[in-house]
Amino acid sequence: MSERLLLPSLATVTSVRPETLSGDVRTFQVEFDDPADAARFTYLPGQCAMVSVFGVGECMISIASSPTRLGPLEFAVKKVGMVTEAIHELEPGANLGVRGPYGNCFPAHNWLGQNLLFVAGGIGLAPLRSLVNYCLDKREDYGTIDLVYGARTPGDLCFRDELQEVWSKAPDTRVNLTVDRGDDTWAGPVGFVPAFLESLAPDPSGRIAVTCGPPIMIKLVLESLTRLGFPPERIITTLEMKMQCGVGKCGRCNVGAKYVCVDGPVFSLRDLEGLPEEF
């Protein structure tokens, strides 16, 4: 194992952008201080990095930027615990540590010519954002792209500018949004993602489905996709449960014989067949 996978590289926050109206999700643009670290850190959509706040701790976070775009790494961070609260306190110019990348990636190289269906909930759109932008930057390699995305309220929708101004206007690309609870600003569908997905009834023929979101949403979306006729090898999901060391040593993220941080976080539903129900 390379020592580089265990040592954080020093990096600097270059910008901070709020993603939700409540402020509980912010996107941090980060650049390595040493150009050699930047050159060494090559990644693909779906991979994660361990982000550390010195003196506080570290946590695994999905990479939200796309490797097809030169520029800083981007991490969309939801404030849910001590480390993420400390990250939210960081302003441009602050230092942090980044190590990785970890895990496997979305096998987009196997989907050439296929139609793509992305299904996300809440902050689960962050790793899919990397994949969506990757596919849009290689638009000629893929068929139609459909995104089904939901959040608790309109104010909890992430990446609103890209949803409304970029992705929904891209060629052969459709964005379908829903919220659990509407408000005076919302005129769109109201309902949970799995039911909304089934109401749209996407044709499974020639289509790959990829989902990411809260565990209960993933569980129900997998059931919905199966009912819609998607075969398990064409349903791709992520499991990001309890990843801690990132190298398969601490035993926090194993599901049966699989280590999410090493064997995942990207799995097909076929991969998950036969594993314990705990995922």
Side-chain angles (χ1 to χ4, degrees):
M1 180 187 306
S2 169
E3 290 184 358
R4 300 301 310 183
L5 280 177
L6 300 175
L7 294 174
S9 297
L10 193 62
T12 298
V13 176
T14 57
S15 77
V16 181
R17 181 176 69 244
E19 293 294 350
T20 56
L21 297 182
S22 64
D24 64 340
V25 178
R26 293 179 179 175
T27 293
F28 295 80
Q29 291 190 326
V30 172
E31 293 187 2
F32 288 103
D33 289 7
D34 186 341
D37 290 330
R40 190 165 34 239
F41 194 96
T42 59
Y43 67 97
L44 287 169
Q47 290 192 285
C48 307
M50 195 70 81
V51 177
S52 54
V53 178
F54 303 119
V56 179
E58 62 179 4
C59 62
M60 193 74 82
I61 298 177
S62 298
I63 301 169
S65 48
S66 170
T68 51
R69 301 181 181 188
L70 298 177
L73 286 172
E74 293 186 326
F75 299 100
V77 181
K78 185 178 178 66
K79 187 161 57 174
V80 294
M82 183 175 64
V83 177
T84 54
E85 288 181 1
I87 294 174
H88 269 240
E89 296 298 319
L90 299 178
E91 300 289 343
N95 288 124
L96 44 66
V98 177
R99 62 182 175 98
Y102 296 110
N104 62 359
C105 62
F106 293 109
H109 55 284
N110 291 333
W111 304 340
L112 302 182
Q114 299 291 304
N115 297 324
L116 304 177
L117 169 65
F118 302 121
V119 185
I123 189 61
L125 186 57
L128 286 189
R129 174 183 182 249
S130 176
L131 179 61
V132 170
N133 283 329
Y134 178 93
C135 293
L136 289 178
D137 289 344
K138 298 174 177 285
R139 194 67 193 85
E140 68 280 6
D141 289 345
Y142 303 100
T144 61
I145 294 177
D146 288 83
L147 172 68
V148 179
Y149 176 50
R152 290 176 300 174
T153 70
D156 292 311
L157 292 168
C158 297
F159 310 113
R160 297 170 69 100
D161 289 346
E162 284 179 297
L163 288 168
Q164 297 169 349
E165 302 299 329
V166 181
W167 297 346
S168 62
K169 297 178 180 178
D172 294 323
T173 303
R174 291 177 290 273
V175 174
N176 304 281
L177 303 178
T178 185
V179 296
D180 298 350
R181 300 188 306 276
D183 59 22
D184 293 342
T185 69
W186 183 253
V190 175
F192 297 125
V193 169
F196 182 51
L197 169 65
E198 291 200 49
S199 73
L200 296 172
D203 184 355
S205 302
R207 179 169 281 148
I208 301 290
V210 186
T211 186
C212 187
I216 184 60
M217 189 215 80
I218 289 179
K219 176 181 174 64
L220 296 175
V221 166
L222 294 179
E223 293 175 357
S224 294
L225 291 169
T226 300
R227 280 195 293 272
L228 289 166
F230 285 81
E233 63 273 13
R234 298 176 73 83
I235 300 175
I236 309 298
T237 186
T238 62
L239 303 179
E240 298 179 25
M241 57 188 296
K242 303 174 185 176
M243 287 191 288
Q244 184 159 322
C245 72
V247 292
K249 297 299 183 184
C250 73
R252 289 285 301 273
C253 67
N254 63 299
V255 181
K258 299 285 188 183
Y259 286 83
V260 174
C261 68
V262 176
D263 301 306
V266 178
F267 297 90
S268 72
L269 184 55
R270 180 73 78 195
D271 294 331
L272 299 178
E273 290 178 345
L275 291 181
E277 288 285 332
E278 58 194 273
F279 72 85

